[in-house]
Amino acid sequence: MDPVNNTVEANNEVKDGTTTGQKGLETIAPLICSVKETPDPVHAEIQGTIPLWINGSLLRNGPGKFEFGDTHYNHWFDGMAMLHKFKVEKGQVTYTSRFLRSDAFKENSERDRIMVCEFGTIAMPDPCKNIFQRFFSYFEMIKPTDNGNVNFVKYKGDYYVSTETNLIHKVNPESLETMEQVDWSKFIAVNGATAHPHYDPDGTCFNMGNSYGRQGAIYNIISVPPEKSSTEETLHGARILCSITPSNKSHPSYYHSFAMSENYVVFIEQPIKVDLLKILTSKIRGKAFGDAVYWDPELETILHLIDKHTGEVSPVKYYAKAFSNFHQINAFEEDGFLVVDLCCSDEGQAINIYSLQNLRKSGEALDEVYNTMSRVFPRRFVLPLHVTDDTPIDQNLNTRPSSTATCVKQSNIRIFCQYEDLHGDDLSQYGGLEFPHINYKKYNTKPYRYFYGCGFRHMVGDSLLKMDLNDKTLKVWYQKGLYPSEPVFVPSPDAVEEDDGVILSVILSPSQDKDTFLLVLDAKTFEELGRAKVPVKTPYGFHGVFSASA
């Protein structure tokens, strides 16, 4: 078995908690390129041992095709959704993949050119139209894409793939075949939903989506019941739990996820903004959706609390210095406080940096792009839940001795919060942490000790990390030239402790002589148990889930 290193030779400097000065980055262009699907199962070569108790499939999603004919996408988020499955059974592994048969994929394939607009790519008028048709097409509204390339999500027991528009696709988790398209807006008045819903123990699902009207945007908290009858459509019974008015209705915040505790949904209104006028005029300007997304560092980040049971929005708002957030780690209530753990950056330019042009650079040009990026670090915010007229002003309300985070009442409806770092100094040498995961089924919305993620000493993850919150120490899996996907925790059947189980991650290499493999780590020790190698090249993707077999 190939040796695994638990240390990294740092060729970078650490300054003010930010990794800088990276040199000699390996090109990852082969990880961001089009591939062919593998619909028939391929048997993996096993090295080491795959625990016999693992019985199910790691389902992953991400872009897998970046051009049609002579037309090319501009952004990583634009690529056509490719669904991957590593099926684990009795210590053996098989791999399959399929493209999502979305309307976007089918229309683009039929014409062999990009016909549907994506996040960073505007579809140009069809040359088969006459000159008048092409002219008037510039004045049409951009139709939302159904290219669900971000995540696998579950509603009422069914698996869907999702991006952030109102169109999702039900898929067969065994065959990866596309079954049907479902439109959120046919059930509730939203124009989209995140690809990161949260689940209560009873299966009730919570999500967020915007509504757009003449008066601008509204944020909506969505609730989907856990079960369906045999005659119901899947999203039947979905409802808007509450609506929140943006600080600026014509420039709402972009959000990728949200936090949830036992009794609250936490919406993070961040200074990554969307200019709705630019959206409305995008076709006539020849600009894609991404052109309307911008970062305003002069604004504060606002945390909104919503009671999950009543839909009541707390009049108290929690403010912090500008930060951006794509993924939350966990949130829980304890001792009259709501603890919110997030992966945060001090700026919000990451979306625009992840163009295909940047990702495919090499040499000094790649180093320069990476070194302009702000790193993402895990942080804890502590929000007092019981703020009254009698709550003292201008003093730290956080009485939790275990946390250095502060929260200061500035008025009856304004609390200013400063975070606590959920890491030691050593995390900087791994480029920060993103793609966080926890033992979700047992510890989501509850006090917890461990979380896992990818270290980013490159444009994509290049290490796997385990953080122990008791002493903020790290365990690391790293091997030069290998790039792991987000870690997915799978608990062992008789788990007693929080980290009893394994970590699954798909490992890629830009080298032609190295295969893709499914890595299995002991979640407790972070030592490698085994790997399942498949002679298939796969592109670097986004998110996934483990689906246990019955």
Side-chain angles (χ1 to χ4, degrees):
M1 182 178 297
D2 295 335
V4 173
N5 300 321
N6 285 309
T7 59
V8 173
E9 294 181 4
N11 62 349
N12 51 308
E13 301 174 356
V14 177
K15 182 179 180 181
D16 298 330
T18 302
T19 308
T20 60
Q22 191 74 293
K23 297 180 180 179
L25 290 175
E26 176 184 31
T27 181
I28 56 169
L31 304 185
I32 318 293
C33 64
S34 297
V35 298
K36 294 182 178 180
E37 61 184 4
T38 309
D40 298 320
V42 174
H43 289 271
E45 174 193 342
I46 306 299
Q47 296 182 348
T49 301
I50 308 298
L52 295 176
W53 59 262
I54 305 176
N55 186 26
S57 298
L58 178 64
L59 304 173
R60 285 194 47 77
N61 195 353
K65 184 174 177 60
F66 297 95
E67 65 282 315
F68 286 90
D70 295 330
T71 57
H72 300 258
Y73 289 116
N74 299 321
H75 199 280
W76 190 20
F77 296 175
D78 299 344
M80 293 291 97
M82 175 172 261
L83 315 181
H84 310 263
K85 183 181 77 168
F86 287 84
K87 184 175 182 177
V88 187
E89 186 177 28
K90 298 179 180 178
Q92 299 301 308
V93 178
T94 58
Y95 169 79
T96 54
S97 66
R98 287 183 185 271
F99 283 110
L100 176 69
R101 263 51 179 190
S102 61
D103 287 351
F105 180 85
K106 289 185 288 187
E107 191 172 347
N108 294 340
S109 298
E110 181 182 344
R111 300 291 186 89
D112 198 27
R113 66 187 304 273
I114 295 171
M115 299 293 298
V116 178
C117 298
E118 300 291 342
F119 175 84
T121 304
I122 192 84
M124 300 308 293
D126 188 345
C128 295
K129 292 180 178 180
N130 63 42
I131 188 170
F132 297 105
Q133 290 173 319
R134 291 201 302 271
F135 174 76
F136 284 113
S137 70
Y138 283 109
F139 298 92
E140 297 172 353
M141 280 289 293
I142 292 179
K143 295 186 297 184
T145 181
D146 64 339
N147 177 33
N149 65 2
V150 178
N151 202 3
F152 276 85
V153 297
K154 205 170 186 179
Y155 296 111
K156 296 187 176 184
D158 293 325
Y159 280 100
Y160 288 79
V161 289
S162 173
T163 178
E164 295 177 338
T165 70
N166 58 302
L167 302 173
I168 61 178
H169 283 274
K170 185 178 179 180
V171 296
N172 184 324
E174 286 299 316
S175 66
L176 299 182
E177 292 178 337
T178 306
M179 297 174 68
E180 64 178 300
Q181 183 194 87
V182 176
D183 186 345
W184 273 102
S185 65
K186 290 184 178 180
F187 298 89
I188 51 176
V190 295
N191 295 97
T194 82
H196 290 286
H198 277 294
Y199 306 92
D200 270 349
D202 70 353
T204 300
C205 179
F206 293 87
N207 208 330
M208 287 198 61
N210 282 2
S211 297
Y212 302 106
R214 292 182 178 180
Q215 302 302 315
I218 295 291
Y219 310 123
N220 299 297
I221 310 299
I222 303 165
S223 173
V224 182
E227 298 178 352
K228 65 171 186 278
S229 72
S230 58
T231 59
E232 284 182 352
E233 295 184 76
T234 295
L235 297 182
H236 181 83
R239 64 190 179 97
I240 293 177
L241 185 65
C242 74
S243 298
I244 302 169
T245 302
S247 301
N248 184 335
K249 296 182 74 172
S250 63
H251 292 251
S253 287
Y254 168 80
Y255 53 91
H256 184 71
S257 66
F258 59 98
M260 188 181 84
S261 68
E262 182 179 1
N263 294 297
Y264 296 94
V265 168
V266 185
F267 168 53
I268 301 140
E269 188 175 15
Q270 59 187 346
I272 301 179
K273 295 294 184 177
V274 180
D275 186 328
L276 295 187
L277 181 59
K278 283 190 173 182
I279 296 292
L280 291 171
T281 60
S282 58
K283 260 202 165 181
I284 197 170
R285 295 185 303 109
K287 298 291 185 179
F289 178 89
D291 178 68
V293 180
Y294 67 97
W295 167 250
D296 187 345
E298 300 302 315
L299 298 176
E300 293 177 306
T301 297
I302 309 171
L303 283 71
H304 301 265
L305 267 57
I306 301 93
D307 187 305
K308 286 163 54 178
H309 310 293
T310 67
E312 182 181 355
V313 181
S314 171
V316 179
K317 309 299 179 190
Y318 302 84
Y319 294 78
K321 182 181 176 182
F323 71 82
S324 65
N325 161 252
F326 286 90
H327 302 107
Q328 62 90 36
I329 305 169
N330 199 6
F332 60 91
E333 300 155 45
E334 194 173 56
D335 303 325
F337 294 92
L338 177 56
V339 178
V340 185
D341 295 346
L342 308 169
C343 288
C344 302
S345 171
D346 289 327
E347 58 93 61
Q349 305 289 355
I351 291 179
N352 295 321
I353 285 177
Y354 277 96
S355 68
L356 291 175
Q357 181 183 19
N358 283 339
L359 287 168
R360 292 169 175 168
K361 286 182 177 179
S362 60
E364 292 182 0
L366 179 60
D367 297 343
E368 183 178 354
V369 171
Y370 177 81
N371 291 328
T372 61
M373 296 172 60
S374 178
R375 305 295 170 252
V376 178
F377 288 97
R379 295 172 178 173
R380 170 165 290 178
F381 294 85
V382 177
L383 316 180
L385 289 172
H386 308 299
V387 179
T388 67
D389 292 349
D390 298 327
T391 302
I393 291 179
D394 295 335
Q395 71 180 53
N396 182 17
L397 303 177
N398 181 14
T399 56
R400 295 167 53 86
S402 61
S403 174
T404 59
T406 64
C407 43
V408 176
K409 177 183 172 183
Q410 296 179 330
S411 75
N412 284 342
I413 59 171
R414 178 185 171 94
I415 305 290
F416 187 80
C417 301
Q418 292 183 305
Y419 62 84
E420 169 194 359
D421 285 322
L422 290 184
H423 62 89
D425 293 339
D426 54 348
L427 181 57
S428 292
Q429 70 176 296
Y430 300 103
L433 183 148
E434 253 291 8
F435 292 157
H437 267 249
I438 63 170
N439 183 343
Y440 189 95
K441 187 173 182 180
K442 195 168 183 180
Y443 288 89
N444 184 53
T445 75
K446 297 178 175 65
Y448 70 114
R449 179 175 175 179
Y450 303 107
F451 65 90
Y452 311 88
C454 284
F456 274 72
R457 278 169 35 96
H458 209 301
M459 300 291 289
V460 297
D462 77 331
S463 60
L464 293 169
L465 309 176
K466 175 187 180 180
M467 180 67 71
D468 185 339
L469 289 175
N470 276 7
D471 54 11
K472 298 181 182 178
T473 56
L474 278 178
K475 282 186 168 64
V476 181
W477 183 92
Y478 167 80
Q479 192 167 333
K480 185 175 176 60
L482 298 182
Y483 298 88
S485 69
E486 65 174 354
V488 174
F489 177 84
V490 181
S492 59
D494 302 315
V496 176
E497 297 184 317
E498 181 180 341
D499 57 351
D500 284 344
V502 297
I503 291 295
L504 302 181
S505 177
V506 179
I507 312 297
L508 309 180
S509 171
S511 301
Q512 291 300 314
D513 59 346
K514 293 184 180 179
D515 293 329
T516 298
F517 64 90
L518 176 67
L519 175 70
V520 183
L521 298 179
D522 183 313
K524 187 177 291 292
T525 65
F526 236 50
E527 294 177 354
E528 180 172 337
L529 298 175
R531 56 179 68 179
K533 300 174 65 175
V534 292
V536 176
K537 287 297 179 183
T538 64
Y540 199 92
F542 297 137
H543 299 290
V545 298
F546 182 77
S547 173
S549 297

